[in-house]
Amino acid sequence: ALGYSHVTPEVLEGMILHGLVDRSQVRAPPTDQASARPEPNEVVVFSDFFIAGLRFPLDPVIVDIFRLFTVYLHQMTPTSFVRLNLFVWLAKTGRVEPTTEAFACIFRIHYQPKTIVVTKKDGSSGDGEPQYRCYTFAFRQTAPSPILVYRNKWPAEWTNSWFYHKIRLDPETNS
């Protein structure tokens, strides 16, 4: 279970006012819900993903990268979105089309074993095992990489701030 989310309609309103999300695309989980139950056209996201640069709709290459590595949004760390944005920005700045193949030459998927801080119904918190695996994109050792000047460590509680975001489904595959 993810635990009870700290995201409320008021928290989402702040994200809306800052231009991070669109009101019609997000909803906070019910206050009594400790496990994610997204609708078919929704994904689970964490508020720190948006601080790290996640924006919807996703660039098609981002969707393809997730398919290539067989991962889902809710399995990623915020740092993953910093690295995805860096890759897309560098490619487009160099007037090169970003591709999954180029991304896979520079980055690898890295499993991050972790315990998460789970908020219980009574407001207390404790360590828990995530109901999902947690991954990030790491630079391949053979790839030149920039000096790390971005946030690489996130507060342990980032997994407590989850909510639902609508996505556009592929009409052919309904996924």
Side-chain angles (χ1 to χ4, degrees):
L2 289 171
Y4 295 94
S5 178
H6 294 175
V7 174
T8 62
E10 294 77 23
V11 170
L12 286 178
E13 189 61 31
M15 293 178 73
I16 292 162
L17 291 174
H18 284 94
L20 298 175
V21 295
D22 181 289
R23 178 175 281 110
S24 67
Q25 301 299 304
V26 295
R27 73 177 174 94
T31 56
D32 64 344
Q33 190 176 86
S35 293
R37 293 185 198 100
E39 298 294 326
N41 66 335
E42 292 177 329
V43 292
V44 173
V45 290
F46 299 91
S47 59
D48 278 354
F49 286 3
F50 294 88
I51 293 167
L54 175 64
R55 298 295 183 272
F56 285 94
L58 294 175
D59 187 299
V61 74
I62 302 297
V63 175
D64 292 341
I65 289 168
F66 278 86
R67 283 188 182 130
L68 175 70
F69 288 101
T70 60
V71 293
Y72 297 93
L73 283 171
H74 70 275
Q75 294 178 303
M76 304 312 292
T77 65
T79 301
S80 303
F81 299 100
V82 172
R83 292 182 176 150
L84 283 162
N85 283 335
L86 175 66
F87 169 75
V88 172
W89 176 77
L90 285 171
K92 289 183 177 184
T93 299
R95 297 187 178 144
V96 176
E97 189 64 32
T99 65
T100 55
E101 295 80 11
F103 186 86
C105 286
I106 301 168
F107 293 96
R108 62 184 172 81
I109 197 79
H110 176 72
Y111 173 62
Q112 302 243 172
K114 68 181 289 169
T115 55
I116 60 173
V117 177
V118 177
T119 303
K120 300 173 185 170
K121 197 168 196 160
D122 65 5
S124 65
S125 62
D127 290 346
E129 288 296 318
Q131 68 182 23
Y132 53 89
R133 295 187 68 122
C134 198
Y135 297 96
T136 193
F137 294 115
F139 286 100
R140 290 187 179 278
Q141 292 179 346
T142 57
S145 62
I147 297 169
L148 298 180
V149 292
Y150 56 84
R151 181 185 227 172
N152 196 30
K153 296 284 184 192
W154 297 83
E157 301 83 22
W158 68 264
T159 55
N160 283 344
S161 296
W162 59 276
F163 61 97
Y164 300 111
H165 197 292
K166 289 183 182 176
I167 56 168
R168 283 183 287 183
L169 296 175
D170 182 326
E172 292 179 20
T173 64
N174 204 30
S175 64

